PDB file of all heavy atoms in Angstrom:
ATOM      1  N   GLN A   1       0.826  -1.205   0.000  1.00  0.00           N
ATOM      2  CA  GLN A   1       0.000   0.000   0.000  1.00  0.00           C
ATOM      3  C   GLN A   1       0.866   1.263   0.000  1.00  0.00           C
ATOM      4  O   GLN A   1       0.558   2.238  -0.695  1.00  0.00           O
ATOM      5  CB  GLN A   1      -0.923  -0.005   1.222  1.00  0.00           C
ATOM      6  CG  GLN A   1      -2.028  -1.036   1.169  1.00  0.00           C
ATOM      7  CD  GLN A   1      -3.082  -0.710   0.128  1.00  0.00           C
ATOM      8  OE1 GLN A   1      -3.226   0.437  -0.296  1.00  0.00           O
ATOM      9  NE2 GLN A   1      -3.825  -1.718  -0.299  1.00  0.00           N
ATOM     10  N   LEU A   2       1.945   1.268   0.773  1.00  0.00           N
ATOM     11  CA  LEU A   2       2.844   2.425   0.775  1.00  0.00           C
ATOM     12  C   LEU A   2       3.473   2.617  -0.600  1.00  0.00           C
ATOM     13  O   LEU A   2       3.638   3.757  -1.069  1.00  0.00           O
ATOM     14  CB  LEU A   2       3.936   2.250   1.834  1.00  0.00           C
ATOM     15  CG  LEU A   2       3.491   2.403   3.292  1.00  0.00           C
ATOM     16  CD1 LEU A   2       4.632   2.001   4.237  1.00  0.00           C
ATOM     17  CD2 LEU A   2       3.042   3.830   3.593  1.00  0.00           C
ATOM     18  N   ALA A   3       3.832   1.526  -1.254  1.00  0.00           N
ATOM     19  CA  ALA A   3       4.422   1.619  -2.584  1.00  0.00           C
ATOM     20  C   ALA A   3       3.439   2.196  -3.594  1.00  0.00           C
ATOM     21  O   ALA A   3       3.804   3.012  -4.455  1.00  0.00           O
ATOM     22  CB  ALA A   3       4.904   0.247  -3.035  1.00  0.00           C
ATOM     23  N   GLN A   4       2.178   1.808  -3.480  1.00  0.00           N
ATOM     24  CA  GLN A   4       1.167   2.317  -4.398  1.00  0.00           C
ATOM     25  C   GLN A   4       0.938   3.808  -4.211  1.00  0.00           C
ATOM     26  O   GLN A   4       0.633   4.522  -5.175  1.00  0.00           O
ATOM     27  CB  GLN A   4      -0.146   1.557  -4.196  1.00  0.00           C
ATOM     28  CG  GLN A   4      -0.100   0.104  -4.638  1.00  0.00           C
ATOM     29  CD  GLN A   4      -1.396  -0.642  -4.321  1.00  0.00           C
ATOM     30  OE1 GLN A   4      -2.359  -0.048  -3.827  1.00  0.00           O
ATOM     31  NE2 GLN A   4      -1.416  -1.937  -4.602  1.00  0.00           N
ATOM     32  N   ARG A   5       1.067   4.299  -2.977  1.00  0.00           N
ATOM     33  CA  ARG A   5       0.796   5.701  -2.687  1.00  0.00           C
ATOM     34  C   ARG A   5       2.023   6.603  -2.832  1.00  0.00           C
ATOM     35  O   ARG A   5       1.906   7.823  -2.780  1.00  0.00           O
ATOM     36  CB  ARG A   5       0.248   5.828  -1.257  1.00  0.00           C
ATOM     37  CG  ARG A   5      -1.177   5.337  -1.120  1.00  0.00           C
ATOM     38  CD  ARG A   5      -1.544   5.087   0.344  1.00  0.00           C
ATOM     39  NE  ARG A   5      -2.970   4.836   0.481  1.00  0.00           N
ATOM     40  CZ  ARG A   5      -3.581   3.722   0.109  1.00  0.00           C
ATOM     41  NH1 ARG A   5      -2.882   2.741  -0.439  1.00  0.00           N
ATOM     42  NH2 ARG A   5      -4.876   3.569   0.256  1.00  0.00           N
ATOM     43  N   ALA A   6       3.191   6.023  -2.960  1.00  0.00           N
ATOM     44  CA  ALA A   6       4.417   6.811  -3.026  1.00  0.00           C
ATOM     45  C   ALA A   6       4.453   7.667  -4.285  1.00  0.00           C
ATOM     46  O   ALA A   6       4.025   7.250  -5.360  1.00  0.00           O
ATOM     47  CB  ALA A   6       5.629   5.881  -2.987  1.00  0.00           C
ATOM     48  N   ARG A   7       4.956   8.882  -4.126  1.00  0.00           N
ATOM     49  CA  ARG A   7       5.184   9.784  -5.254  1.00  0.00           C
ATOM     50  C   ARG A   7       6.680  10.001  -5.408  1.00  0.00           C
ATOM     51  O   ARG A   7       7.434   9.918  -4.427  1.00  0.00           O
ATOM     52  CB  ARG A   7       4.454  11.110  -5.047  1.00  0.00           C
ATOM     53  CG  ARG A   7       2.949  10.958  -4.909  1.00  0.00           C
ATOM     54  CD  ARG A   7       2.248  12.311  -4.926  1.00  0.00           C
ATOM     55  NE  ARG A   7       0.818  12.195  -4.725  1.00  0.00           N
ATOM     56  CZ  ARG A   7      -0.048  13.195  -4.853  1.00  0.00           C
ATOM     57  NH1 ARG A   7       0.404  14.416  -5.169  1.00  0.00           N
ATOM     58  NH2 ARG A   7      -1.327  13.023  -4.646  1.00  0.00           N
ATOM     59  N   HIS A   8       7.104  10.292  -6.608  1.00  0.00           N
ATOM     60  CA  HIS A   8       8.527  10.404  -6.908  1.00  0.00           C
ATOM     61  C   HIS A   8       8.815  11.735  -7.597  1.00  0.00           C
ATOM     62  O   HIS A   8       8.032  12.196  -8.426  1.00  0.00           O
ATOM     63  CB  HIS A   8       8.970   9.258  -7.818  1.00  0.00           C
ATOM     64  CG  HIS A   8       8.643   7.897  -7.280  1.00  0.00           C
ATOM     65  ND1 HIS A   8       9.580   7.071  -6.694  1.00  0.00           N
ATOM     66  CD2 HIS A   8       7.467   7.202  -7.251  1.00  0.00           C
ATOM     67  CE1 HIS A   8       9.008   5.945  -6.323  1.00  0.00           C
ATOM     68  NE2 HIS A   8       7.724   6.007  -6.655  1.00  0.00           N
ATOM     69  N   ASP A   9       9.940  12.352  -7.212  1.00  0.00           N
ATOM     70  CA  ASP A   9      10.441  13.516  -7.936  1.00  0.00           C
ATOM     71  C   ASP A   9      11.967  13.478  -7.914  1.00  0.00           C
ATOM     72  O   ASP A   9      12.560  12.467  -7.494  1.00  0.00           O
ATOM     73  CB  ASP A   9       9.874  14.825  -7.381  1.00  0.00           C
ATOM     74  CG  ASP A   9      10.304  15.114  -5.952  1.00  0.00           C
ATOM     75  OD1 ASP A   9      11.267  14.475  -5.469  1.00  0.00           O
ATOM     76  OD2 ASP A   9       9.699  15.993  -5.313  1.00  0.00           O
ATOM     77  N   SER A  10      12.595  14.539  -8.341  1.00  0.00           N
ATOM     78  CA  SER A  10      14.056  14.532  -8.445  1.00  0.00           C
ATOM     79  C   SER A  10      14.748  14.395  -7.097  1.00  0.00           C
ATOM     80  O   SER A  10      15.916  13.981  -7.024  1.00  0.00           O
ATOM     81  CB  SER A  10      14.530  15.816  -9.136  1.00  0.00           C
ATOM     82  OG  SER A  10      14.115  16.957  -8.392  1.00  0.00           O
ATOM     83  N   ALA A  11      14.046  14.737  -5.998  1.00  0.00           N
ATOM     84  CA  ALA A  11      14.641  14.651  -4.661  1.00  0.00           C
ATOM     85  C   ALA A  11      14.512  13.265  -4.056  1.00  0.00           C
ATOM     86  O   ALA A  11      15.226  12.933  -3.104  1.00  0.00           O
ATOM     87  CB  ALA A  11      14.019  15.684  -3.732  1.00  0.00           C
ATOM     88  N   GLY A  12      13.574  12.455  -4.560  1.00  0.00           N
ATOM     89  CA  GLY A  12      13.394  11.128  -4.001  1.00  0.00           C
ATOM     90  C   GLY A  12      11.946  10.703  -3.950  1.00  0.00           C
ATOM     91  O   GLY A  12      11.183  10.906  -4.899  1.00  0.00           O
ATOM     92  N   VAL A  13      11.531  10.126  -2.815  1.00  0.00           N
ATOM     93  CA  VAL A  13      10.201   9.540  -2.640  1.00  0.00           C
ATOM     94  C   VAL A  13       9.496  10.245  -1.481  1.00  0.00           C
ATOM     95  O   VAL A  13      10.109  10.520  -0.446  1.00  0.00           O
ATOM     96  CB  VAL A  13      10.302   8.029  -2.343  1.00  0.00           C
ATOM     97  CG1 VAL A  13       8.934   7.438  -2.027  1.00  0.00           C
ATOM     98  CG2 VAL A  13      10.938   7.291  -3.521  1.00  0.00           C
ATOM     99  N   PHE A  14       8.190  10.503  -1.661  1.00  0.00           N
ATOM    100  CA  PHE A  14       7.410  11.123  -0.585  1.00  0.00           C
ATOM    101  C   PHE A  14       5.977  10.626  -0.651  1.00  0.00           C
ATOM    102  O   PHE A  14       5.561   9.985  -1.613  1.00  0.00           O
ATOM    103  CB  PHE A  14       7.457  12.654  -0.688  1.00  0.00           C
ATOM    104  CG  PHE A  14       6.862  13.210  -1.964  1.00  0.00           C
ATOM    105  CD1 PHE A  14       5.540  13.631  -1.999  1.00  0.00           C
ATOM    106  CD2 PHE A  14       7.636  13.323  -3.122  1.00  0.00           C
ATOM    107  CE1 PHE A  14       4.989  14.149  -3.170  1.00  0.00           C
ATOM    108  CE2 PHE A  14       7.097  13.844  -4.283  1.00  0.00           C
ATOM    109  CZ  PHE A  14       5.775  14.250  -4.313  1.00  0.00           C
ATOM    110  N   TRP A  15       5.228  10.941   0.405  1.00  0.00           N
ATOM    111  CA  TRP A  15       3.803  10.600   0.464  1.00  0.00           C
ATOM    112  C   TRP A  15       3.016  11.889   0.696  1.00  0.00           C
ATOM    113  O   TRP A  15       3.378  12.712   1.537  1.00  0.00           O
ATOM    114  CB  TRP A  15       3.535   9.601   1.593  1.00  0.00           C
ATOM    115  CG  TRP A  15       4.039   8.241   1.257  1.00  0.00           C
ATOM    116  CD1 TRP A  15       3.337   7.213   0.697  1.00  0.00           C
ATOM    117  CD2 TRP A  15       5.372   7.747   1.445  1.00  0.00           C
ATOM    118  NE1 TRP A  15       4.146   6.119   0.525  1.00  0.00           N
ATOM    119  CE2 TRP A  15       5.400   6.418   0.966  1.00  0.00           C
ATOM    120  CE3 TRP A  15       6.554   8.303   1.959  1.00  0.00           C
ATOM    121  CZ2 TRP A  15       6.556   5.636   0.996  1.00  0.00           C
ATOM    122  CZ3 TRP A  15       7.704   7.545   1.985  1.00  0.00           C
ATOM    123  CH2 TRP A  15       7.695   6.222   1.512  1.00  0.00           C
ATOM    124  N   TRP A  16       1.945  12.042  -0.049  1.00  0.00           N
ATOM    125  CA  TRP A  16       1.141  13.253  -0.024  1.00  0.00           C
ATOM    126  C   TRP A  16       0.031  13.133   1.013  1.00  0.00           C
ATOM    127  O   TRP A  16      -0.641  12.099   1.121  1.00  0.00           O
ATOM    128  CB  TRP A  16       0.521  13.493  -1.397  1.00  0.00           C
ATOM    129  CG  TRP A  16      -0.238  14.779  -1.529  1.00  0.00           C
ATOM    130  CD1 TRP A  16      -1.577  14.960  -1.408  1.00  0.00           C
ATOM    131  CD2 TRP A  16       0.310  16.070  -1.810  1.00  0.00           C
ATOM    132  NE1 TRP A  16      -1.904  16.281  -1.588  1.00  0.00           N
ATOM    133  CE2 TRP A  16      -0.763  16.985  -1.839  1.00  0.00           C
ATOM    134  CE3 TRP A  16       1.610  16.534  -2.049  1.00  0.00           C
ATOM    135  CZ2 TRP A  16      -0.580  18.331  -2.103  1.00  0.00           C
ATOM    136  CZ3 TRP A  16       1.787  17.880  -2.303  1.00  0.00           C
ATOM    137  CH2 TRP A  16       0.694  18.762  -2.325  1.00  0.00           C
ATOM    138  N   THR A  17      -0.156  14.200   1.765  1.00  0.00           N
ATOM    139  CA  THR A  17      -1.265  14.279   2.711  1.00  0.00           C
ATOM    140  C   THR A  17      -2.293  15.256   2.156  1.00  0.00           C
ATOM    141  O   THR A  17      -2.022  16.457   2.052  1.00  0.00           O
ATOM    142  CB  THR A  17      -0.798  14.762   4.090  1.00  0.00           C
ATOM    143  OG1 THR A  17       0.192  13.862   4.594  1.00  0.00           O
ATOM    144  CG2 THR A  17      -1.970  14.818   5.070  1.00  0.00           C
ATOM    145  N   PRO A  18      -3.482  14.772   1.775  1.00  0.00           N
ATOM    146  CA  PRO A  18      -4.476  15.662   1.169  1.00  0.00           C
ATOM    147  C   PRO A  18      -5.131  16.568   2.201  1.00  0.00           C
ATOM    148  O   PRO A  18      -4.927  16.431   3.407  1.00  0.00           O
ATOM    149  CB  PRO A  18      -5.496  14.678   0.588  1.00  0.00           C
ATOM    150  CG  PRO A  18      -5.401  13.473   1.462  1.00  0.00           C
ATOM    151  CD  PRO A  18      -3.939  13.374   1.869  1.00  0.00           C
ATOM    152  N   VAL A  19      -5.933  17.483   1.714  1.00  0.00           N
ATOM    153  CA  VAL A  19      -6.681  18.377   2.591  1.00  0.00           C
ATOM    154  C   VAL A  19      -7.809  17.597   3.244  1.00  0.00           C
ATOM    155  O   VAL A  19      -8.695  17.088   2.556  1.00  0.00           O
ATOM    156  CB  VAL A  19      -7.274  19.562   1.798  1.00  0.00           C
ATOM    157  CG1 VAL A  19      -8.056  20.487   2.730  1.00  0.00           C
ATOM    158  CG2 VAL A  19      -6.183  20.328   1.069  1.00  0.00           C
ATOM    159  N   PRO A  20      -7.811  17.434   4.577  1.00  0.00           N
ATOM    160  CA  PRO A  20      -8.913  16.730   5.228  1.00  0.00           C
ATOM    161  C   PRO A  20     -10.136  17.621   5.339  1.00  0.00           C
ATOM    162  O   PRO A  20     -10.024  18.846   5.444  1.00  0.00           O
ATOM    163  CB  PRO A  20      -8.345  16.400   6.611  1.00  0.00           C
ATOM    164  CG  PRO A  20      -7.317  17.430   6.859  1.00  0.00           C
ATOM    165  CD  PRO A  20      -6.769  17.837   5.516  1.00  0.00           C
ATOM    166  N   ARG A  21     -11.289  17.016   5.313  1.00  0.00           N
ATOM    167  CA  ARG A  21     -12.530  17.798   5.330  1.00  0.00           C
ATOM    168  C   ARG A  21     -12.680  18.625   6.600  1.00  0.00           C
ATOM    169  O   ARG A  21     -13.211  19.723   6.584  1.00  0.00           O
ATOM    170  CB  ARG A  21     -13.731  16.851   5.192  1.00  0.00           C
ATOM    171  CG  ARG A  21     -13.904  16.272   3.804  1.00  0.00           C
ATOM    172  CD  ARG A  21     -15.063  15.315   3.743  1.00  0.00           C
ATOM    173  NE  ARG A  21     -14.847  14.159   4.619  1.00  0.00           N
ATOM    174  CZ  ARG A  21     -15.749  13.200   4.817  1.00  0.00           C
ATOM    175  NH1 ARG A  21     -16.927  13.271   4.224  1.00  0.00           N
ATOM    176  NH2 ARG A  21     -15.484  12.178   5.604  1.00  0.00           N
ATOM    177  N   ARG A  22     -12.201  18.102   7.719  1.00  0.00           N
ATOM    178  CA  ARG A  22     -12.425  18.791   8.996  1.00  0.00           C
ATOM    179  C   ARG A  22     -11.360  19.839   9.313  1.00  0.00           C
ATOM    180  O   ARG A  22     -11.467  20.540  10.302  1.00  0.00           O
ATOM    181  CB  ARG A  22     -12.489  17.759  10.128  1.00  0.00           C
ATOM    182  CG  ARG A  22     -13.670  16.800  10.003  1.00  0.00           C
ATOM    183  CD  ARG A  22     -13.725  15.856  11.187  1.00  0.00           C
ATOM    184  NE  ARG A  22     -14.838  14.924  11.088  1.00  0.00           N
ATOM    185  CZ  ARG A  22     -15.131  13.985  11.992  1.00  0.00           C
ATOM    186  NH1 ARG A  22     -14.362  13.873  13.063  1.00  0.00           N
ATOM    187  NH2 ARG A  22     -16.139  13.177  11.824  1.00  0.00           N
ATOM    188  N   HIS A  23     -10.320  19.891   8.525  1.00  0.00           N
ATOM    189  CA  HIS A  23      -9.238  20.832   8.812  1.00  0.00           C
ATOM    190  C   HIS A  23      -8.870  21.603   7.550  1.00  0.00           C
ATOM    191  O   HIS A  23      -7.818  21.378   6.954  1.00  0.00           O
ATOM    192  CB  HIS A  23      -8.023  20.085   9.361  1.00  0.00           C
ATOM    193  CG  HIS A  23      -8.294  19.371  10.645  1.00  0.00           C
ATOM    194  ND1 HIS A  23      -8.424  20.031  11.845  1.00  0.00           N
ATOM    195  CD2 HIS A  23      -8.486  18.066  10.914  1.00  0.00           C
ATOM    196  CE1 HIS A  23      -8.672  19.156  12.805  1.00  0.00           C
ATOM    197  NE2 HIS A  23      -8.716  17.958  12.268  1.00  0.00           N
ATOM    198  N   PRO A  24      -9.716  22.510   7.132  1.00  0.00           N
ATOM    199  CA  PRO A  24      -9.475  23.230   5.882  1.00  0.00           C
ATOM    200  C   PRO A  24      -8.250  24.126   5.919  1.00  0.00           C
ATOM    201  O   PRO A  24      -7.778  24.569   4.877  1.00  0.00           O
ATOM    202  CB  PRO A  24     -10.752  24.062   5.717  1.00  0.00           C
ATOM    203  CG  PRO A  24     -11.311  24.190   7.101  1.00  0.00           C
ATOM    204  CD  PRO A  24     -10.973  22.914   7.787  1.00  0.00           C
ATOM    205  N   TYR A  25      -7.698  24.409   7.126  1.00  0.00           N
ATOM    206  CA  TYR A  25      -6.507  25.258   7.202  1.00  0.00           C
ATOM    207  C   TYR A  25      -5.275  24.514   6.681  1.00  0.00           C
ATOM    208  O   TYR A  25      -4.276  25.125   6.338  1.00  0.00           O
ATOM    209  CB  TYR A  25      -6.257  25.726   8.641  1.00  0.00           C
ATOM    210  CG  TYR A  25      -6.080  24.602   9.631  1.00  0.00           C
ATOM    211  CD1 TYR A  25      -4.847  23.972   9.787  1.00  0.00           C
ATOM    212  CD2 TYR A  25      -7.145  24.169  10.414  1.00  0.00           C
ATOM    213  CE1 TYR A  25      -4.682  22.943  10.686  1.00  0.00           C
ATOM    214  CE2 TYR A  25      -6.983  23.140  11.314  1.00  0.00           C
ATOM    215  CZ  TYR A  25      -5.755  22.534  11.455  1.00  0.00           C
ATOM    216  OH  TYR A  25      -5.599  21.501  12.347  1.00  0.00           O
ATOM    217  N   TRP A  26      -5.310  23.179   6.672  1.00  0.00           N
ATOM    218  CA  TRP A  26      -4.186  22.414   6.139  1.00  0.00           C
ATOM    219  C   TRP A  26      -4.249  22.445   4.619  1.00  0.00           C
ATOM    220  O   TRP A  26      -5.224  21.989   4.015  1.00  0.00           O
ATOM    221  CB  TRP A  26      -4.248  20.988   6.664  1.00  0.00           C
ATOM    222  CG  TRP A  26      -3.381  19.996   5.920  1.00  0.00           C
ATOM    223  CD1 TRP A  26      -3.807  18.999   5.104  1.00  0.00           C
ATOM    224  CD2 TRP A  26      -1.957  19.910   5.923  1.00  0.00           C
ATOM    225  NE1 TRP A  26      -2.749  18.286   4.611  1.00  0.00           N
ATOM    226  CE2 TRP A  26      -1.589  18.831   5.084  1.00  0.00           C
ATOM    227  CE3 TRP A  26      -0.947  20.653   6.539  1.00  0.00           C
ATOM    228  CZ2 TRP A  26      -0.272  18.471   4.859  1.00  0.00           C
ATOM    229  CZ3 TRP A  26       0.364  20.284   6.320  1.00  0.00           C
ATOM    230  CH2 TRP A  26       0.693  19.212   5.492  1.00  0.00           C
ATOM    231  N   PRO A  27      -3.226  22.983   3.957  1.00  0.00           N
ATOM    232  CA  PRO A  27      -3.323  23.192   2.510  1.00  0.00           C
ATOM    233  C   PRO A  27      -3.094  21.939   1.685  1.00  0.00           C
ATOM    234  O   PRO A  27      -3.266  21.960   0.469  1.00  0.00           O
ATOM    235  CB  PRO A  27      -2.210  24.217   2.255  1.00  0.00           C
ATOM    236  CG  PRO A  27      -1.188  23.930   3.309  1.00  0.00           C
ATOM    237  CD  PRO A  27      -1.975  23.515   4.522  1.00  0.00           C
TER     238      PRO A  27
END
């Protein structure tokens, strides 16, 4: 599951945290 969600760019590998419905201040 972590492999499926991993994103890649020139710096390496990261995981994205989307905007949660209850916390709109998190971009």
Side-chain angles (χ1 to χ4, degrees):
Q1 290 290 339
L2 287 172
Q4 291 176 4
R5 287 163 170 73
R7 300 189 183 188
H8 305 257
D9 64 16
S10 60
V13 175
F14 62 95
W15 287 266
W16 185 263
T17 301
V19 180
R21 287 178 297 176
R22 296 183 180 180
H23 298 286
Y25 58 83
W26 164 251

